[in-house]
Amino acid sequence: SASAFPSQKPKSELVRTSLRLLTSSAYRLQSECKKTLPVETCPTTDIQLVTQQVIQCAYDIAKAAKQLVTITTKENNN
């Protein structure tokens, strides 16, 4: 999240919230994807559930990215 705004702390609470969602979703996505690797997979791994979690993480990442684009576009136009 820091690299998105390297020289300043985001002023807007909405920006901070979106960045938090983006970062946490990216970590969750990484962790869910690891569950599908042969080394991590155990017989009880529910691949369908993992797939649903990956889709949800990807959706959250897209949502957060859209929020950031919307917010920064509005701020730049002011």
Side-chain angles (χ1 to χ4, degrees):
S1 64
S3 61
F5 297 90
S7 61
Q8 65 194 44
K9 237 188 145 148
K11 298 178 197 90
S12 161
E13 185 56 40
L14 271 174
V15 171
R16 284 193 290 272
T17 303
S18 297
L19 285 172
R20 274 195 294 273
L21 177 60
L22 194 60
T23 310
S24 65
S25 299
Y27 281 120
R28 270 187 59 218
L29 180 62
Q30 183 181 32
S31 127
E32 293 298 332
C33 287
K34 273 186 180 175
K35 292 178 188 175
T36 65
L37 297 175
V39 178
E40 302 276 335
T41 306
C42 64
T44 58
T45 300
D46 183 347
I47 294 299
Q48 199 169 12
L49 179 63
V50 171
T51 302
Q52 289 172 347
Q53 293 299 320
V54 167
I55 291 168
Q56 183 61 51
C57 293
Y59 174 82
D60 288 341
I61 289 169
K63 181 177 157 187
K66 184 175 188 243
Q67 286 172 348
L68 285 171
V69 168
T70 303
I71 294 162
T72 52
T73 302
K74 280 181 187 171
E75 286 179 356
N76 290 339
N77 290 337
N78 287 342

Coordinates of all heavy atoms in Angstrom, one line a residue:
S1 N 0.8 -1.2 0.0 CA 0.0 0.0 0.0 C 0.9 1.3 0.0 O 0.5 2.2 -0.6 CB -0.9 0.0 1.2 OG -0.2 0.0 2.4
A2 N 2.0 1.2 0.7 CA 2.9 2.4 0.7 C 3.4 2.8 -0.6 O 3.6 4.0 -0.9 CB 4.0 2.2 1.7
S3 N 3.6 1.8 -1.5 CA 4.2 2.1 -2.8 C 3.2 2.8 -3.7 O 3.6 3.5 -4.6 CB 4.7 0.9 -3.5 OG 3.6 0.0 -3.7
A4 N 1.9 2.7 -3.4 CA 0.9 3.4 -4.2 C 1.0 4.9 -4.0 O 0.7 5.7 -4.9 CB -0.5 2.9 -3.9
F5 N 1.4 5.3 -2.8 CA 1.5 6.7 -2.4 C 2.8 6.9 -1.8 O 2.9 7.2 -0.5 CB 0.4 7.2 -1.5 CG -1.0 7.0 -2.1 CD1 -1.7 5.9 -2.0 CD2 -1.6 8.1 -2.8 CE1 -3.0 5.8 -2.6 CE2 -2.8 8.0 -3.4 CZ -3.5 6.8 -3.3
P6 N 4.0 6.9 -2.5 CA 5.3 6.8 -1.8 C 5.6 8.1 -1.1 O 6.2 8.1 -0.1 CB 6.2 6.6 -3.0 CG 5.5 7.0 -4.2 CD 4.0 6.8 -3.9
S7 N 5.2 9.3 -1.6 CA 5.7 10.5 -1.0 C 4.7 11.1 0.0 O 5.1 12.1 0.7 CB 5.9 11.6 -2.1 OG 4.7 11.8 -2.8
Q8 N 3.6 10.5 0.2 CA 2.6 11.1 1.1 C 1.7 10.0 1.7 O 1.5 9.0 1.2 CB 1.7 12.1 0.4 CG 0.8 11.5 -0.7 CD 0.3 12.5 -1.6 OE1 1.0 13.4 -2.1 NE2 -1.0 12.4 -1.9
K9 N 1.2 10.4 2.9 CA 0.2 9.5 3.5 C -1.2 9.9 2.9 O -1.5 11.0 2.7 CB 0.1 9.8 5.0 CG 0.4 8.5 5.8 CD 0.2 8.8 7.2 CE -0.4 7.5 7.8 NZ -0.1 7.2 9.1
P10 N -1.9 8.9 2.5 CA -3.2 9.2 1.9 C -4.1 10.0 2.8 O -4.2 9.7 4.0 CB -3.9 7.8 1.6 CG -2.8 6.9 1.7 CD -1.7 7.5 2.5
K11 N -4.6 11.1 2.3 CA -5.4 12.0 3.2 C -6.8 11.4 3.5 O -7.3 11.5 4.6 CB -5.6 13.4 2.5 CG -4.3 14.1 2.3 CD -4.6 15.4 1.5 CE -3.3 16.0 0.9 NZ -3.1 15.5 -0.4
S12 N -7.4 10.9 2.4 CA -8.8 10.4 2.5 C -8.9 9.1 3.2 O -8.1 8.2 3.0 CB -9.3 10.3 1.1 OG -10.4 9.5 1.1
E13 N -9.9 9.0 4.1 CA -10.2 7.8 4.8 C -10.6 6.7 3.8 O -10.3 5.5 4.0 CB -11.2 8.0 5.9 CG -11.5 6.8 6.8 CD -10.3 6.2 7.5 OE1 -9.4 7.0 8.0 OE2 -10.2 5.0 7.5
L14 N -11.3 7.1 2.8 CA -11.8 6.2 1.8 C -10.6 5.6 1.0 O -10.6 4.4 0.7 CB -12.6 6.9 0.7 CG -14.1 7.0 1.0 CD1 -14.8 7.9 0.0 CD2 -14.7 5.6 1.0
V15 N -9.6 6.4 0.8 CA -8.3 5.8 0.2 C -7.7 4.8 1.1 O -7.3 3.7 0.6 CB -7.3 7.0 -0.2 CG1 -6.0 6.4 -0.7 CG2 -7.9 7.9 -1.3
R16 N -7.6 5.2 2.4 CA -7.0 4.2 3.3 C -7.7 2.9 3.4 O -7.2 1.8 3.4 CB -6.8 4.9 4.7 CG -5.7 5.9 4.8 CD -5.4 6.3 6.2 NE -6.4 7.1 6.8 CZ -6.5 8.4 6.7 NH1 -5.6 9.1 6.1 NH2 -7.5 9.0 7.3
T17 N -9.1 3.0 3.4 CA -9.9 1.9 3.5 C -9.8 1.0 2.2 O -9.6 -0.2 2.3 CB -11.4 2.3 3.6 OG1 -11.5 3.1 4.8 CG2 -12.3 1.1 3.7
S18 N -9.7 1.6 1.1 CA -9.6 0.9 -0.2 C -8.2 0.2 -0.2 O -8.1 -0.9 -0.7 CB -9.7 1.8 -1.4 OG -11.0 2.4 -1.4
L19 N -7.2 0.9 0.2 CA -5.8 0.3 0.2 C -5.8 -0.9 1.2 O -5.1 -1.9 0.9 CB -4.8 1.4 0.6 CG -4.4 2.4 -0.4 CD1 -3.5 3.5 0.2 CD2 -3.7 1.7 -1.6
R20 N -6.4 -0.8 2.3 CA -6.5 -1.9 3.3 C -7.2 -3.1 2.7 O -6.7 -4.2 2.8 CB -7.2 -1.5 4.6 CG -6.2 -0.8 5.6 CD -6.9 -0.8 7.0 NE -8.1 0.1 7.0 CZ -8.0 1.4 7.3 NH1 -6.9 2.0 7.5 NH2 -9.1 2.1 7.3
L21 N -8.3 -2.8 2.0 CA -9.0 -3.9 1.3 C -8.2 -4.6 0.2 O -8.1 -5.8 0.1 CB -10.3 -3.4 0.7 CG -11.2 -4.4 -0.1 CD1 -11.6 -5.6 0.8 CD2 -12.4 -3.8 -0.7
L22 N -7.5 -3.7 -0.5 CA -6.6 -4.2 -1.6 C -5.5 -5.1 -1.1 O -5.3 -6.2 -1.5 CB -6.0 -3.0 -2.4 CG -5.4 -3.2 -3.7 CD1 -6.3 -3.8 -4.7 CD2 -4.8 -1.9 -4.2
T23 N -4.8 -4.6 0.0 CA -3.7 -5.3 0.6 C -4.2 -6.6 1.2 O -3.6 -7.7 1.0 CB -3.0 -4.5 1.6 OG1 -2.7 -3.2 1.0 CG2 -1.7 -5.1 2.1
S24 N -5.2 -6.6 2.0 CA -5.7 -7.8 2.7 C -6.2 -8.8 1.7 O -6.0 -10.0 1.9 CB -6.7 -7.5 3.8 OG -7.9 -6.9 3.2
S25 N -6.9 -8.4 0.7 CA -7.4 -9.3 -0.3 C -6.2 -9.9 -1.1 O -6.3 -11.1 -1.5 CB -8.3 -8.6 -1.3 OG -9.4 -8.0 -0.6
A26 N -5.2 -9.2 -1.4 CA -4.0 -9.7 -2.1 C -3.4 -10.8 -1.2 O -3.0 -11.9 -1.8 CB -3.0 -8.6 -2.4
Y27 N -3.2 -10.6 0.1 CA -2.6 -11.6 0.9 C -3.5 -12.8 1.0 O -3.0 -14.0 1.0 CB -2.4 -11.0 2.4 CG -1.2 -10.2 2.5 CD1 -1.3 -8.8 2.9 CD2 0.1 -10.7 2.2 CE1 -0.1 -8.0 3.0 CE2 1.2 -9.9 2.3 CZ 1.1 -8.6 2.7 OH 2.2 -7.8 2.8
R28 N -4.8 -12.6 1.1 CA -5.8 -13.7 1.1 C -5.7 -14.5 -0.1 O -5.7 -15.8 -0.1 CB -7.2 -13.2 1.4 CG -7.6 -13.1 2.8 CD -9.1 -12.8 3.0 NE -9.9 -13.8 2.3 CZ -11.1 -13.5 1.7 NH1 -11.5 -12.2 1.6 NH2 -11.8 -14.4 1.2
L29 N -5.6 -13.8 -1.3 CA -5.6 -14.5 -2.6 C -4.3 -15.4 -2.6 O -4.4 -16.5 -3.1 CB -5.6 -13.5 -3.7 CG -5.5 -14.0 -5.1 CD1 -6.7 -14.8 -5.4 CD2 -5.4 -12.9 -6.1
Q30 N -3.2 -14.8 -2.2 CA -1.9 -15.6 -2.2 C -2.1 -16.8 -1.3 O -1.7 -17.9 -1.8 CB -0.8 -14.7 -1.7 CG 0.5 -15.4 -1.7 CD 1.6 -14.5 -1.2 OE1 1.4 -13.7 -0.3 NE2 2.8 -14.6 -1.7
S31 N -2.7 -16.7 -0.2 CA -2.8 -17.8 0.7 C -3.8 -18.9 0.2 O -3.5 -20.1 0.3 CB -3.2 -17.3 2.1 OG -4.3 -17.9 2.6
E32 N -4.9 -18.5 -0.4 CA -5.8 -19.4 -1.0 C -5.2 -20.1 -2.2 O -5.4 -21.4 -2.4 CB -7.1 -18.7 -1.5 CG -7.9 -18.1 -0.4 CD -8.5 -19.2 0.6 OE1 -8.7 -20.3 0.2 OE2 -8.7 -18.8 1.8
C33 N -4.4 -19.4 -3.0 CA -3.8 -20.1 -4.2 C -2.7 -21.1 -3.8 O -2.6 -22.1 -4.4 CB -3.1 -19.0 -5.1 SG -4.4 -18.1 -6.0
K34 N -2.0 -20.8 -2.6 CA -1.0 -21.8 -2.1 C -1.7 -23.1 -1.8 O -1.0 -24.1 -1.9 CB -0.4 -21.2 -0.9 CG 0.8 -20.3 -1.2 CD 1.5 -19.9 0.1 CE 2.7 -19.0 -0.2 NZ 3.3 -18.5 1.0
K35 N -2.9 -23.1 -1.4 CA -3.6 -24.3 -1.0 C -3.8 -25.3 -2.2 O -4.1 -26.4 -2.0 CB -5.0 -24.0 -0.4 CG -4.9 -23.3 1.0 CD -6.4 -22.9 1.4 CE -6.3 -22.1 2.7 NZ -7.7 -21.7 3.1
T36 N -3.7 -24.7 -3.4 CA -3.9 -25.6 -4.6 C -2.6 -26.2 -5.0 O -2.6 -27.1 -5.9 CB -4.5 -24.8 -5.7 OG1 -3.5 -23.8 -6.1 CG2 -5.8 -24.1 -5.4
L37 N -1.4 -25.8 -4.4 CA -0.1 -26.4 -4.8 C 0.0 -27.8 -4.3 O -0.5 -28.1 -3.2 CB 1.0 -25.5 -4.3 CG 1.1 -24.1 -4.8 CD1 2.2 -23.3 -4.1 CD2 1.3 -24.1 -6.3
P38 N 0.6 -28.7 -5.0 CA 0.7 -30.1 -4.6 C 1.4 -30.2 -3.2 O 0.9 -31.0 -2.4 CB 1.7 -30.7 -5.6 CG 1.5 -29.8 -6.8 CD 1.2 -28.5 -6.3
V39 N 2.3 -29.4 -2.9 CA 3.0 -29.5 -1.6 C 2.0 -29.1 -0.4 O 2.1 -29.7 0.6 CB 4.2 -28.5 -1.5 CG1 4.9 -28.5 -0.2 CG2 5.2 -28.9 -2.6
E40 N 1.2 -28.1 -0.7 CA 0.3 -27.6 0.4 C -1.0 -28.4 0.5 O -1.7 -28.4 1.5 CB -0.1 -26.2 0.1 CG 1.1 -25.2 0.0 CD 1.5 -24.7 1.4 OE1 0.7 -24.7 2.3 OE2 2.7 -24.3 1.5
T41 N -1.4 -29.1 -0.6 CA -2.7 -29.8 -0.7 C -2.7 -31.0 0.1 O -1.8 -31.8 0.1 CB -3.0 -30.1 -2.2 OG1 -3.0 -28.9 -2.9 CG2 -4.4 -30.7 -2.3
C42 N -3.7 -31.1 1.0 CA -3.9 -32.4 1.7 C -5.2 -33.0 1.2 O -6.0 -32.4 0.6 CB -3.9 -32.1 3.2 SG -5.3 -31.1 3.8
P43 N -5.4 -34.3 1.5 CA -6.6 -35.0 1.0 C -7.9 -34.3 1.4 O -8.9 -34.5 0.7 CB -6.5 -36.4 1.7 CG -5.1 -36.5 2.1 CD -4.6 -35.2 2.3
T44 N -7.9 -33.5 2.5 CA -9.2 -32.9 2.9 C -9.4 -31.5 2.3 O -10.4 -30.9 2.6 CB -9.2 -32.8 4.4 OG1 -8.1 -32.0 4.8 CG2 -9.2 -34.1 5.1
T45 N -8.5 -31.1 1.4 CA -8.6 -29.8 0.8 C -9.8 -29.8 -0.1 O -9.9 -30.6 -1.0 CB -7.4 -29.4 0.0 OG1 -6.2 -29.3 0.9 CG2 -7.5 -28.0 -0.6
D46 N -10.7 -28.8 0.1 CA -11.9 -28.7 -0.7 C -11.6 -27.7 -1.8 O -11.7 -26.5 -1.6 CB -13.1 -28.3 0.1 CG -14.4 -28.2 -0.7 OD1 -14.4 -28.2 -1.9 OD2 -15.5 -28.0 0.0
I47 N -11.3 -28.2 -3.0 CA -10.8 -27.4 -4.1 C -12.0 -26.4 -4.5 O -11.7 -25.3 -4.9 CB -10.3 -28.2 -5.3 CG1 -9.0 -28.9 -4.9 CG2 -10.1 -27.3 -6.5 CD1 -7.9 -28.0 -4.5
Q48 N -13.2 -26.9 -4.5 CA -14.3 -26.1 -4.8 C -14.4 -24.9 -3.9 O -14.7 -23.7 -4.4 CB -15.6 -26.9 -4.8 CG -16.7 -26.2 -5.6 CD -17.9 -27.2 -5.8 OE1 -18.0 -28.2 -5.2 NE2 -18.8 -26.8 -6.7
L49 N -14.3 -25.1 -2.6 CA -14.3 -24.0 -1.6 C -13.1 -23.1 -1.9 O -13.3 -21.8 -1.8 CB -14.2 -24.6 -0.2 CG -14.2 -23.5 0.9 CD1 -15.5 -22.7 0.9 CD2 -14.1 -24.2 2.3
V50 N -11.9 -23.6 -2.1 CA -10.8 -22.8 -2.4 C -11.0 -21.9 -3.6 O -10.7 -20.7 -3.6 CB -9.5 -23.6 -2.6 CG1 -8.3 -22.8 -3.0 CG2 -9.1 -24.3 -1.3
T51 N -11.6 -22.5 -4.7 CA -11.9 -21.8 -5.9 C -12.9 -20.6 -5.6 O -12.7 -19.5 -6.1 CB -12.5 -22.7 -6.9 OG1 -11.6 -23.8 -7.2 CG2 -12.8 -22.0 -8.2
Q52 N -13.9 -20.8 -4.8 CA -14.8 -19.8 -4.4 C -14.1 -18.7 -3.7 O -14.4 -17.5 -3.9 CB -16.0 -20.3 -3.6 CG -16.9 -21.2 -4.3 CD -18.0 -21.9 -3.4 OE1 -17.8 -21.9 -2.2 NE2 -19.0 -22.4 -4.1
Q53 N -13.2 -19.0 -2.8 CA -12.4 -18.0 -2.0 C -11.5 -17.2 -2.9 O -11.4 -16.0 -2.8 CB -11.6 -18.7 -0.9 CG -12.4 -19.4 0.2 CD -13.2 -18.4 1.0 OE1 -12.8 -17.3 1.2 NE2 -14.4 -18.8 1.3
V54 N -10.9 -17.9 -3.9 CA -10.1 -17.2 -4.9 C -10.9 -16.2 -5.7 O -10.5 -15.0 -5.9 CB -9.4 -18.2 -5.8 CG1 -8.7 -17.5 -7.0 CG2 -8.3 -18.9 -5.1
I55 N -12.1 -16.6 -6.1 CA -13.0 -15.7 -6.9 C -13.4 -14.5 -6.0 O -13.4 -13.4 -6.4 CB -14.2 -16.5 -7.3 CG1 -13.8 -17.5 -8.4 CG2 -15.3 -15.5 -7.9 CD1 -14.9 -18.5 -8.8
Q56 N -13.7 -14.7 -4.7 CA -14.1 -13.7 -3.8 C -12.9 -12.7 -3.6 O -13.1 -11.5 -3.6 CB -14.5 -14.2 -2.5 CG -15.0 -13.2 -1.5 CD -16.2 -12.4 -2.0 OE1 -17.2 -13.0 -2.4 NE2 -16.2 -11.1 -2.0
C57 N -11.7 -13.2 -3.4 CA -10.5 -12.4 -3.3 C -10.3 -11.5 -4.5 O -10.0 -10.3 -4.4 CB -9.3 -13.2 -3.0 SG -9.3 -14.1 -1.5
A58 N -10.4 -12.1 -5.7 CA -10.2 -11.4 -6.9 C -11.3 -10.3 -7.1 O -11.0 -9.2 -7.5 CB -10.3 -12.3 -8.1
Y59 N -12.5 -10.6 -6.7 CA -13.6 -9.6 -6.7 C -13.3 -8.4 -5.8 O -13.4 -7.3 -6.1 CB -14.9 -10.2 -6.3 CG -16.0 -9.2 -6.2 CD1 -16.7 -8.8 -7.3 CD2 -16.4 -8.7 -4.9 CE1 -17.7 -7.8 -7.1 CE2 -17.4 -7.8 -4.8 CZ -18.1 -7.4 -5.9 OH -19.1 -6.4 -5.8
D60 N -12.8 -8.7 -4.5 CA -12.5 -7.7 -3.6 C -11.3 -6.8 -4.1 O -11.3 -5.6 -3.9 CB -12.1 -8.3 -2.2 CG -13.3 -8.9 -1.5 OD1 -14.5 -8.5 -1.8 OD2 -13.1 -9.7 -0.6
I61 N -10.3 -7.4 -4.7 CA -9.2 -6.7 -5.3 C -9.7 -5.7 -6.4 O -9.4 -4.5 -6.4 CB -8.1 -7.6 -5.8 CG1 -7.4 -8.3 -4.7 CG2 -7.1 -6.9 -6.7 CD1 -6.5 -9.5 -5.1
A62 N -10.6 -6.2 -7.3 CA -11.1 -5.4 -8.3 C -12.0 -4.3 -7.8 O -11.9 -3.1 -8.2 CB -12.0 -6.3 -9.3
K63 N -12.7 -4.6 -6.7 CA -13.6 -3.5 -6.1 C -12.7 -2.4 -5.5 O -13.0 -1.3 -5.6 CB -14.4 -4.2 -5.0 CG -15.4 -3.3 -4.3 CD -16.2 -4.2 -3.3 CE -16.8 -3.3 -2.2 NZ -17.4 -4.1 -1.2
A64 N -11.7 -2.8 -4.8 CA -10.8 -1.9 -4.1 C -10.1 -1.0 -5.2 O -9.9 0.2 -5.0 CB -9.8 -2.6 -3.2
A65 N -9.6 -1.7 -6.2 CA -8.9 -0.9 -7.3 C -9.9 0.1 -8.0 O -9.5 1.2 -8.2 CB -8.4 -1.9 -8.4
K66 N -11.1 -0.3 -8.2 CA -12.1 0.6 -8.8 C -12.4 1.8 -7.8 O -12.4 2.9 -8.3 CB -13.4 -0.2 -9.0 CG -14.4 0.7 -9.8 CD -15.7 -0.1 -10.1 CE -16.6 0.7 -11.0 NZ -17.9 1.0 -10.4
Q67 N -12.5 1.5 -6.5 CA -12.7 2.6 -5.6 C -11.5 3.6 -5.6 O -11.7 4.8 -5.6 CB -12.8 2.0 -4.2 CG -14.1 1.3 -3.9 CD -14.1 0.6 -2.5 OE1 -13.1 0.5 -1.9 NE2 -15.3 0.2 -2.1
L68 N -10.3 3.0 -5.7 CA -9.1 3.9 -5.7 C -9.1 4.8 -7.0 O -8.8 6.0 -6.9 CB -7.8 3.1 -5.6 CG -7.5 2.5 -4.3 CD1 -6.3 1.6 -4.4 CD2 -7.1 3.7 -3.3
V69 N -9.4 4.2 -8.1 CA -9.4 4.9 -9.4 C -10.5 6.0 -9.3 O -10.2 7.2 -9.7 CB -9.7 4.0 -10.6 CG1 -10.1 4.8 -11.8 CG2 -8.5 3.1 -10.8
T70 N -11.7 5.7 -8.8 CA -12.7 6.7 -8.7 C -12.3 7.8 -7.7 O -12.5 9.0 -8.1 CB -14.0 6.0 -8.1 OG1 -14.4 4.9 -9.0 CG2 -15.2 6.9 -8.0
I71 N -11.8 7.5 -6.6 CA -11.4 8.5 -5.6 C -10.3 9.4 -6.2 O -10.4 10.6 -6.1 CB -10.9 7.8 -4.3 CG1 -12.1 7.1 -3.6 CG2 -10.3 8.9 -3.3 CD1 -11.6 6.1 -2.6
T72 N -9.2 8.8 -6.7 CA -8.1 9.6 -7.2 C -8.5 10.4 -8.4 O -8.0 11.5 -8.6 CB -6.9 8.7 -7.5 OG1 -7.3 7.7 -8.4 CG2 -6.3 8.1 -6.3
T73 N -9.4 9.9 -9.2 CA -9.9 10.7 -10.4 C -10.6 11.9 -9.9 O -10.4 13.0 -10.4 CB -10.8 9.9 -11.3 OG1 -10.1 8.7 -11.7 CG2 -11.3 10.6 -12.5
K74 N -11.5 11.7 -8.9 CA -12.3 12.9 -8.3 C -11.3 13.9 -7.7 O -11.5 15.1 -7.9 CB -13.2 12.4 -7.3 CG -14.5 11.8 -7.8 CD -15.5 11.4 -6.7 CE -16.6 10.6 -7.3 NZ -17.5 10.0 -6.2
E75 N -10.3 13.4 -6.9 CA -9.4 14.3 -6.2 C -8.5 15.1 -7.2 O -8.3 16.3 -7.0 CB -8.5 13.5 -5.3 CG -9.2 13.1 -4.0 CD -8.3 12.3 -3.1 OE1 -7.1 12.0 -3.4 OE2 -8.8 11.9 -2.0
N76 N -8.2 14.4 -8.3 CA -7.3 15.1 -9.3 C -8.1 16.1 -10.1 O -7.6 17.1 -10.7 CB -6.7 14.1 -10.3 CG -5.6 13.3 -9.6 OD1 -5.1 13.7 -8.6 ND2 -5.3 12.1 -10.2
N77 N -9.5 15.9 -10.2 CA -10.3 16.9 -11.0 C -10.7 18.1 -10.1 O -11.3 19.0 -10.7 CB -11.5 16.1 -11.5 CG -11.2 15.2 -12.7 OD1 -10.1 15.4 -13.3 ND2 -12.0 14.2 -12.9
N78 N -10.5 18.0 -8.9 CA -10.9 19.2 -8.0 C -9.8 20.2 -8.0 O -8.7 20.1 -8.2 CB -11.1 18.7 -6.5 CG -12.4 17.9 -6.4 OD1 -13.2 18.0 -7.3 ND2 -12.5 17.1 -5.4

